[in-house]
């Protein structure tokens, strides 16, 4: 393998890793944009999405519905998105809404508590929940070789699907009436309420979209890595948060940029630096801090003048 | 008015005081003909390592139940389970909890090396026998001269020595190492590298990965370019599974060898056919080959445990048996039990003969290679992959294709 | 002043004194019973009693006011009572060193959280890297003691100071970011520190530092049982008393800082940086000073831990410990020294007691956290407006004495 | 002459991106006078305050306070030179007590910090006592009621009292120049009169204080200012006494819009 081949192959690896991060990051951007909340339980909804799909697959398997693979995949995605979103809306009504007006610290801690509760509930109630769980292989497994570079069909599907999901989310919140309401709340909750926007419904919808995207990310994560685990959301949450900040909190496309940048940073740090593999996160987080200090609005965020 | 509220407060106060005194006085009451002796079990019951932890706990409990069912035993045994979450800080508290209960006479403790190494002081200071049932870091027994610390399972040194020698036997020449950065992974990497150098294996690269990592494509892409005969992985199943999966996806067909950390059911369950041909090394002899092994297996199943005993369950079982035997012999006295355990020599158990050296380490003569075949871990020597068997290890096939063999 | 009004409503005389001491004794008995009880019955009874008391006092404000007035009127006696009862803890827990150890651990959390409170509660600087700063203190003390054999008092001091110095490393991010962004900076820092410590040789890598000398002050080893002549206490009694001493010192320092210009300045920076600046506050200087000061407290707790347990390793200082610290500050009550103590007590000791429900423990921890925050979002003991009565009284007293002396001279 | 000019600006300008908020404004303020700064919304009055207090750095021009250029100085340093201000939307710390809010105004003069707080309590006590007396005195001028409620959180006070506390905070600095940004916003005419009387009282009490006041209520400007500057779209369009500017056609146009 030549150096160039290696760079290209590692870039592909970085892109794949990055799109996984992007899918989680988009949720953070959404919650922050609307509720001004950093939802630390988001990573755990991501995990929950994966487990929901696994349960649904188990049901399909016992009923013998596994013949038609495309239909099965659609069933897994839709089912898991709906179930995860339902749980998200219920928990949001119970725990997040009562503190949505409280200081940021409180909402941060509430979502942290929610994350712990979800994670532990999965571990305790899912059969042998603390073990890693294999995820069914449903996407085509072949690959395409260009010279020494190998591109797997599965990767292409996941990447395209990931970008598509983010584009759809962007469409939903910038082009539809519902999205307008969401953004109005983001700008000024009270003013939006006076103009007839139903605040409760908007919060519900935000959690619906956020959790559905998290579920998609969880399932794709399962397809890509072939396993899911109850605690996979914790680190993913922190990285997703970082990626959304690098991209620019509040900007949906920023999530793609931030996620992919974080993925590439990790990949190349691991591939090129001495002791890189074990220290790549140090490097990536260092870059995050630099961003926060010198460009806190992120790559795609707009510069905001602080009103005095 | 004032007087009345004051009086009622006084009444509440005295009631509470009495109540709390009553509750503290009512410890678990004695009674019954036999004296109750407590034996502690410490290991992970929550968190990522709860799987093997629960297997160990069940096996331990099985030994206690068997002893209680035995009409000849002099005491009634009570198991005390304490969760160490696989965190050193919690482990120290757990050990202290066991040690500060005077009724606890011995402790069968720790699956995670990190925790085991942090608690040896606590056990030593309290004079409580600490029989390690899963942690493999050599320093736990060899790093001190505490006579309270014993270990029934082997250490990384023995495991990796045999492993490296076997690699040469199979004809491998080059190896790439991936390890997790915990003490477990790093320790395995160090001892393996040492042994590998001694037997003349060439190490192409060593890469560390953090324990909550999921994506190994970067590291594997590098390894693919190195084209080794075998990939050695030092780490536990939660990392081993995605690593193996991604290895298959990247079409890396070198042999995949792991440490004892991947020899558990979840590895086979999660990977399905992709686990086929993966090798793992574990101290001790396979259950099926031992006199009491099948009996243990049957008893475990008969006791109705949902979770499998996992790789280290038998060790926890044996550790409990050793503790019970010592107590039966010298009575419920911590010091005497420690002294008695130290004399253990050539005792027949389901994990083979147990002999403690001067460090309290069981000098296990056996290290067994297992191979994943049809979704089960099978001793390599009994599998179709054995030399001259019906199947060929993927690494061998790969080397033949490349013309290296 | 308002104080006088309270005094009128209080129970007076011996009755008041007895009530004060009685309340303390009841609370003490209730808490100690939790430790001594092997199961969880006492805990459940206590929780029910506490809930009943809260409901009762919410309906019956007059009585609650009366009791608090009585406590205020008997302050000296109340403090003496508290001190005596706290000194008695190792005697009560003589049979269970484990619980004594847990109490000390909670004490160390209190120490760290007093520091965190200076940053988070008083100044409004989010710090989710508490555990990482604790690691600086712990490793400094451990390495100095292991490699150079420095005495304990020096390593403890060095642990605190080096942590403060290292936190200056973060000064640009701390000054330039706020709110969520500062939260992320500290999260990133937390992960960097743990990964680095794990991957470096001289910190012992993942195996950490072993055999760190236990505390020894001028020849007195804390590792020996504490012999008082009439009774021999467990060796942890040494650590307990030392923690108590440090906590008293640090608690009083924190309390005094709170009731001073520094506290006012910090609170203004927290509530409105712009207003602070236009009133002449050097916001950056104060933020940095208080950030460093808070980290010194945290570092000290880490150094203490390494000398108590004798073993430290990277997982000791993981992210979830930082979260626990922040939870303590927020749950106990931001910017309230007593709140921190209550918060640490609840969040460290209760989960330990909840061990009897093993598997469900963390799930319940999460749920309890949510429930508490929803119903008591400002913490259990919320921030109370500063009172200067004590300082002013003190000066008036001095003034009065000065006048008397002067008057005497003139005559 | 120069001695009497406490503050003057030279072509003071600022723009945000493409928007020119203040364009070459020249203002002179005489010592011990009250200057009124008026103009329609968005004409740059508050922006000028923000520049004078160092919150915004001007992109052009300069300004001098007591003969010294303060351009580019950080806000805290400008405050220490003797410029205090209030804000359009009150910026009290609502959780803190009234007293604490006034105390922060004395920040630059306080001498006893960390070490005194922990170890030298009596030295601190003396300073606290003096500050306390001063704060009480100030609060008493504005509203004796405030003295009684001084240990309550500021957030519990009615709007008018909050403004009074904010002015007390600014006065606690013993400033030479006080910038009041719409102190009467949201008040009834009676309340406004009351507040203006208080401000007059304050000015009479202190020996040396100059005030710049931004106001929309013309009766306020008429009754208390000595001199008025009118801004529109970031430019100075007129200045003079109230009488003079009220007859200036350009000013009328700016306020009422072009007719016919």
């Amino acid at each position: 393998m030549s150096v160039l081949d290696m760079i290209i192959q590692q870039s592909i690896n970085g892109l794949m890793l990055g799109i996984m991060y992007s899918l989680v990051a988009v949720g953070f951007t959404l919650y922050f944009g609307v509720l001004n909340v950093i939802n630390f339980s988001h990573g755990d909804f991501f995990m929950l999405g994966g487990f929901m799909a696994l349960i649904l697959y188990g049901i399909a398997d016992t009923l013998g519905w596994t013949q038609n693979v495309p239909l099965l995949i659609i069933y897994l995605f839709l089912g898991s998105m709906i179930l995860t979103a339902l749980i998200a809306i219920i928990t949001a009504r119970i725990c997040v809404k009562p503190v949505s007006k409280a200081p940021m610290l409180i909402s941060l801690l509430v979502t942290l508590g929610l994350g712990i509760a979800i994670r532990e509930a999965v571990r305790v109630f899912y059969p042998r929940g603390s073990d890693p769980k294999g995820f069914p292989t449903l996407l085509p497994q072949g690959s395409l070789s260009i010279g020494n570079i190998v591109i797997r069909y599965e990767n292409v599907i996941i990447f395209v699907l990931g970008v598509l999901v983010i584009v759809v989310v962007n469409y939903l919140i910038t082009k539809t009436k519902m999205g307008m309401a969401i953004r109005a709340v983001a700008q000024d909750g009270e003013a939006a309420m006076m103009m007839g926007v139903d605040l409760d419904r908007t919060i519900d919808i935000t959690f619906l979209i956020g959790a559905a995207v998290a579920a998609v990310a969880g399932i794709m994560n399962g397809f890509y890595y072939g396993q899911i685990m109850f605690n996979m959301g914790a680190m993913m949450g922190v990285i997703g948060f970082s990626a959304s900040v690098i991209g620019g909190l509040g900007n949906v496309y920023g999530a793609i940029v931030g996620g992919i940048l974080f993925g590439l940073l990790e990949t190349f740090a691991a591939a090129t630096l001495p002791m890189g593999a074990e220290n790549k996160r140090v490097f990536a987080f260092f870059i995050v801090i630099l961003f926060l200090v010198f460009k806190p609005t992120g790559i795609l965020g707009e510069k905001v003048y602080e009103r005095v | 008015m004032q007087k009345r509220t004051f009086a009622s407060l006084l009444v509440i106060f005295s009631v509470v005081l009495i109540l709390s005194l009553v509750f503290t006085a009512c410890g678990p009451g004695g009674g019954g003909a036999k004296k109750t002796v407590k034996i502690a079990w410490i290991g992970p019951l929550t968190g990522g390592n709860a799987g093997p932890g629960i297997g160990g706990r069940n096996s331990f409990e099985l030994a206690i139940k068997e002893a209680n069912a035995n009409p000849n035993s002099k005491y009634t045994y009570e198991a005390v389970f304490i969760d160490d979450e696989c965190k050193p800080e919690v482990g120290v508290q757990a050990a202290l909890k066991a040690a500060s209960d005077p009724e606890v006479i011995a402790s069968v403790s720790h699956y995670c090396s990190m925790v085991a190494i942090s608690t040896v002081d606590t056990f030593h200071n309290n004079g409580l026998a600490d029989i390690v049932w899963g942690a493999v870091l050599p320093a736990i027994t060899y790093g001190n001269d505490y006579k309270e610390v014993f270990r029934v399972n082997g250490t990384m040194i023995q495991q990796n020595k045999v492993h490296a020698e076997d690699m040469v036997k199979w004809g491998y020449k080059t190896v790439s190492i991936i390890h997790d950065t915990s003490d477990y992974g790093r320790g395995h990497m160090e001892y393996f590298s040492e042994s590998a150098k001694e037997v003349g294996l060439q190490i192409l690269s060593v890469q560390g990965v953090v324990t909550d990592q999921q994506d190994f494509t970067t590291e594997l892409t590098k390894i693919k370019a190195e084209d080794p005969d075998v990939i050695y992985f030092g780490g536990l199943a939660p990392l081993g599974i995605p690593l193996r999966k991604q290895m298959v996806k990247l079409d890396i067909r070198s042999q995949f060898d792991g440490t004892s950390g991947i020899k558990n059911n979840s590895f086979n369950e999660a990977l399905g056919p992709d686990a086929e041909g993966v090798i793992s090394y574990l101290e001790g002899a396979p259950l099926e080959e031992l006199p009491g092994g099948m009996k243990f297996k049957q008893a475990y199943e008969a006791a109705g445990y949902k979770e499998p005993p996992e790789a280290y369950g038998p060790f926890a079982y044996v550790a409990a048996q050793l503790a019970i035997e010592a107590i039966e012999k010298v009575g419920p006295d911590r010091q005497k039990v420690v002294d008695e355990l130290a004399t253990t020599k050539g005792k027949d158990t389901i994990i083979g003969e147990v002999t403690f050296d001067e460090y309290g380490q069981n000098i296990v003569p056996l290290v067994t290679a297992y191979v994943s075949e049809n979704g089960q871990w099978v001793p390599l020597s009994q599998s179709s992959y054995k030399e001259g068997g019906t199947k060929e290890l993927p690494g061998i096939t790969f080397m033949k294709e490349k013309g290296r063999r | 002043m308002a104080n006088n009004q309270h005094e009128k409503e209080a129970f007076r005389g011996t009755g008041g004194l007895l009530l004060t001491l009685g309340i303390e004794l009841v609370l003490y008995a209730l808490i100690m019973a939790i430790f001594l009880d092997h199961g969880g019955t006492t805990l459940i009874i206590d929780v029910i009693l506490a809930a009943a008391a809260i409901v009762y006092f919410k309906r019956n404000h007059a009585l609650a006011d009366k009791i608090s007035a009585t406590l205020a009127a008997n302050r000296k006696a109340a403090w003496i009572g508290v001190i005596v009862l706290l000194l008695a803890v190792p005697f009560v827990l003589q049979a269970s060193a484990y619980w004594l150890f847990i109490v000390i651990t909670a004490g160390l959390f209190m120490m760290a959280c007093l520091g965190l409170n200076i940053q988070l509660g008083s100044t409004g600087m989010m710090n989710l890297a508490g555990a990482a700063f604790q690691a600086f203190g712990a490793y400094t003390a451990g390495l100095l003691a292991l490699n150079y054999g420095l005495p304990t008092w020096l390593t403890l001091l060095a642990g605190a100071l080096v942590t403060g110095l290292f936190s200056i490393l973060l000064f640009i991010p701390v000054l330039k970011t706020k709110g969520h962004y500062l939260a992320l900076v500290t999260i990133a820092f937390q992960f960097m520190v743990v990964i680095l410590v794990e991957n470096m040789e001289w910190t012992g890598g993942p195996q950490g530092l072993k055999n760190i000398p236990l505390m020894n002050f001028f020849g007195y080893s804390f590792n020996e049982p504490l012999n008082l002549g009439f009774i021999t206490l467990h060796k942890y009694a040494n650590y307990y008393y030392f923690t108590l001493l440090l906590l008293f010192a640090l608690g009083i320092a924190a309390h005094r800082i709170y009731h001073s210009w520094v506290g006012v300045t910090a609170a203004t920076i927290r509530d409105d940086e712009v207003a602070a600046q236009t009133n002449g506050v050097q916001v950056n200087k104060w933020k940095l000073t208080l950030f460093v000061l808070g980290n010194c407290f945290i570092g000290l707790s880490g150094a203490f831990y390494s000398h108590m347990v004798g073993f430290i390793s990277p997982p000791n200082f993981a992210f979830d410990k930082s979260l626990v610290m922040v939870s303590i500050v927020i749950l106990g009550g931001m910017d309230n020294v007593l709140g921190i103590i209550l918060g640490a007590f609840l969040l460290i000791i209760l989960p330990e007691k909840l061990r009897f429900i093993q598997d469900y423990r963390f799930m319940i921890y999460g749920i309890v956290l949510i429930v508490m925050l929803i119903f008591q979002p400002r913490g259990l003991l919320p921030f109370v407006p500063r009172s200067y009565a004590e300082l002013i009284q003190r000066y008036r007293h001095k003034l009065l004495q000065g006048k008397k002396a002067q008057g005497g001279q003139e005559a | 002459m120069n001695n009497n000019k406490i503050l003057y600006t030279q072509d003071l300008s600022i723009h945000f991106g493409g928007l020119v908020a203040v364009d070459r404004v020249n203002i002179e303020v005489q010592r011990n006078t009250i200057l009124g700064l008026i103009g329609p919304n968005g004409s740059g009055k508050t922006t000028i305050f923000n520049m004078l207090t160092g919150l915004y750095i001007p992109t052009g021009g300069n300004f001098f306070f007591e003969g010294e250029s303060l351009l580019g100085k950080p806000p805290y340093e400008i405050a220490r030179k003797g410029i205090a201000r209030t804000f359009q939307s009150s910026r009290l710390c609502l959780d803190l007590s009234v007293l604490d809010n006034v105390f922060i105004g004395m920040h630059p003069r306080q001498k006893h910090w960390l070490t005194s707080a922990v170890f030298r309590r009596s030295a601190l006590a003396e300073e606290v006592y003096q500050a306390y007396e001063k704060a009480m005195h100030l609060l008493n001028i504005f509203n004796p009621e405030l003295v009684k409620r001084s240990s309550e959180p500021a957030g519990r006070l009615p709007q008018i009292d909050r403004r009074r506390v904010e002015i007390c905070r600014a006065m606690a600095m013993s400033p030479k120049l006080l910038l009041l940004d719409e102190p009467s916003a949201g008040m009834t005419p009676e309340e406004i009169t009351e507040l203006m009387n208080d401000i007059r009282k304050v000015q009479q009490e202190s020996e040396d204080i100059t005030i710049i006041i931004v106001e929309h209520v013309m009766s306020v400007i008429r009754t208390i200012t000595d001199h008025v500057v009118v801004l529109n779209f970031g430019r100075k369009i007129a200045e003079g006494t109230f009488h003079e500017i009220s007859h200036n056609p350009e000013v009328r146009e700016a306020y009422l819009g072009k007719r016919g």
Side-chain angles (χ1 to χ4, degrees), chain C residues 276-306:
Chain C
Q277 283 183 333
T278 56
N279 281 296
V281 176
Q282 282 169 277
V283 173
N284 284 353
K285 177 186 122 183
W286 280 108
K287 271 185 163 177
L288 191 60
T289 310
L290 295 169
F291 189 69
V292 170
L293 181 71
N295 282 336
C296 286
F297 280 45
I298 298 175
L300 179 64
S301 73
F304 193 114
Y305 181 83
S306 74

Side-chain angles (χ1 to χ4, degrees), chain C residues 89-90 93 96-105 234-237 240:
Chain C
V89 167
L93 298 181
S96 52
Y98 162 67
W99 280 108
L100 195 56
F101 182 82
I102 298 292
V103 169
I104 301 169
T105 311
H234 193 273
K235 69 164 180 173
Y236 281 118
Y240 173 82

Side-chain angles (χ1 to χ4, degrees), chain B residues 2 5-6 9 13 16-17 19-20 23-24 27-28 45-46 54 81-85 87-90 92-94 96-97 100-102 114 117-118 121 125-126 137 139 143 146 181-183 186-187 190 210 212, chain C residues 11 15 18-19 22 25-26 29-30 33 36-38 41-42 45 49 63 66-67 95-98 101-102 105 195 198-199 206-207 210-211 234-236 305 309 311 313 315-316 320-321 352 355 358-359 361-362:
Chain B
Q2 250 190 39
T5 33
F6 186 58
L9 275 171
F13 163 60
V16 165
L17 204 65
L19 268 179
S20 44
F23 278 104
T24 50
L45 291 172
T46 51
I54 290 168
F81 302 118
I82 312 175
D83 182 10
D84 65 18
E85 299 168 33
K87 293 180 188 158
E89 206 168 345
V90 183
V92 171
Q93 289 172 17
L96 201 59
K97 183 168 189 179
S100 71
D101 184 344
M114 178 59 77
I117 189 76
S118 64
D121 291 339
N125 291 338
N126 289 284
L137 192 75
Y146 298 156
T181 54
S182 78
D183 64 319
R186 204 181 279 272
E190 279 165 11
V210 287
D212 47 12
Chain C
F11 294 106
L18 274 178
L19 181 67
L25 210 60
V26 171
L30 287 174
L36 294 173
D37 175 8
H38 286 288
T41 337
T42 319
I45 292 175
L49 280 177
L63 185 63
K66 231 172 198 176
I67 289 174
S96 52
Y98 162 67
F101 182 82
I102 298 292
T105 311
I195 297 173
E198 196 165 271
N199 288 336
Q207 294 189 20
K210 283 187 284 280
N211 302 322
H234 193 273
K235 69 164 180 173
Y236 281 118
Y305 181 83
V309 177
F311 172 82
S313 60
N316 275 340
D320 47 357
K321 202 171 173 191
E352 206 50 44
R355 273 178 180 278
Q358 294 284 9
D359 254 18
R361 190 152 51 106
F362 282 103

Side-chain angles (χ1 to χ4, degrees), chain B residues 329-350:
Chain B
K329 198 165 169 194
V330 298
D333 180 303
R334 285 185 183 182
Q335 190 55 48
K336 284 183 190 159
V337 168
V338 168
D339 295 341
E340 172 62 25
L341 280 171
T343 63
T344 305
K345 255 199 181 70
K347 192 157 279 179
D348 262 331
T349 69
I350 63 158

Side-chain angles (χ1 to χ4, degrees), chain A residues 187-265:
Chain A
Q187 292 283 323
D188 188 341
E190 275 173 35
M193 255 160 76
M194 281 198 287
M195 285 159 72
V197 174
D198 184 343
L199 189 66
D200 285 1
R201 234 192 59 166
T202 315
I203 294 179
D204 284 350
I205 290 171
T206 314
F207 269 83
L208 186 142
I209 300 176
V213 174
V216 171
I219 299 171
M220 303 228 291
N221 194 80
F223 281 142
Y224 187 53
Y225 296 124
Q227 80 152 6
I228 55 175
M229 205 173 161
F230 80 98
N231 61 2
M232 69 180 184
M235 195 64 201
M236 202 57 160
V238 173
I239 293 175
F241 182 25
S242 306
S244 64
V245 171
I246 295 181
L249 265 182
N251 185 320
V252 173
Y253 288 136
I256 300 190
V257 176
I260 288 178
L261 191 69
F262 202 98
L264 287 174
L265 275 175

Side-chain angles (χ1 to χ4, degrees), chain A residues 5-217:
Chain A
D5 286 346
M6 190 60 128
I7 291 174
I8 294 172
Q9 190 73 57
Q10 292 291 23
S11 303
I12 294 170
N13 295 339
L15 278 181
M16 288 310 297
L17 183 60
I19 201 74
M20 292 292 161
Y21 292 162
S22 300
L23 279 169
V24 180
V26 74
F28 278 99
T29 274
L30 197 66
Y31 290 120
F32 182 78
V34 178
L35 303 171
N36 209 2
V37 163
I38 295 298
N39 182 2
F40 262 109
S41 63
H42 188 59
D44 295 289
F45 280 105
F46 154 84
M47 175 274 297
L48 197 62
F51 270 89
M52 285 295 164
L54 204 57
I55 293 170
L56 290 170
Y57 180 80
I59 295 169
D61 203 27
T62 41
L63 295 176
W65 290 351
T66 45
Q67 309 309 319
N68 189 336
V69 173
L71 213 61
L72 181 66
I73 292 175
I74 292 171
Y75 151 82
L76 288 186
F77 270 107
L78 280 183
S80 167
M81 281 162 75
I82 292 169
L83 288 175
T84 313
L86 259 176
I87 296 174
I89 290 173
I90 294 168
T91 50
R93 287 209 166 180
I94 298 170
C95 348
V96 183
K97 211 177 283 174
V99 296
S100 59
K101 290 213 175 64
M104 151 222 155
L105 283 173
I106 304 291
S107 56
L108 197 145
L109 212 62
V110 164
T111 55
L112 271 173
L114 181 59
I116 294 174
I118 292 172
R119 197 181 315 152
E120 284 296 310
V122 167
R123 190 186 64 75
V124 171
F125 296 122
Y126 196 89
R128 292 185 53 211
S130 51
D131 288 346
K133 297 286 162 197
F135 207 77
T137 312
L138 297 176
L139 298 179
Q141 292 297 303
S143 64
L144 188 76
S145 296
I146 309 168
N148 276 326
I149 296 153
V150 182
I151 299 172
R152 297 173 49 73
Y153 299 136
E154 189 186 48
N155 292 9
V156 177
I157 295 172
I158 289 175
F159 191 85
V160 171
L161 205 61
V163 174
L164 201 70
V165 166
I166 296 174
V167 170
V168 168
V169 170
N170 190 53
Y171 175 80
L172 281 179
I173 73 163
T174 55
K175 296 282 170 7
T176 61
K177 208 180 149 201
M178 174 185 80
M180 301 287 191
I182 290 182
R183 285 192 302 148
V185 173
Q187 292 283 323
D188 188 341
E190 275 173 35
M193 255 160 76
M194 281 198 287
M195 285 159 72
V197 174
D198 184 343
L199 189 66
D200 285 1
R201 234 192 59 166
T202 315
I203 294 179
D204 284 350
I205 290 171
T206 314
F207 269 83
L208 186 142
I209 300 176
V213 174
V216 171

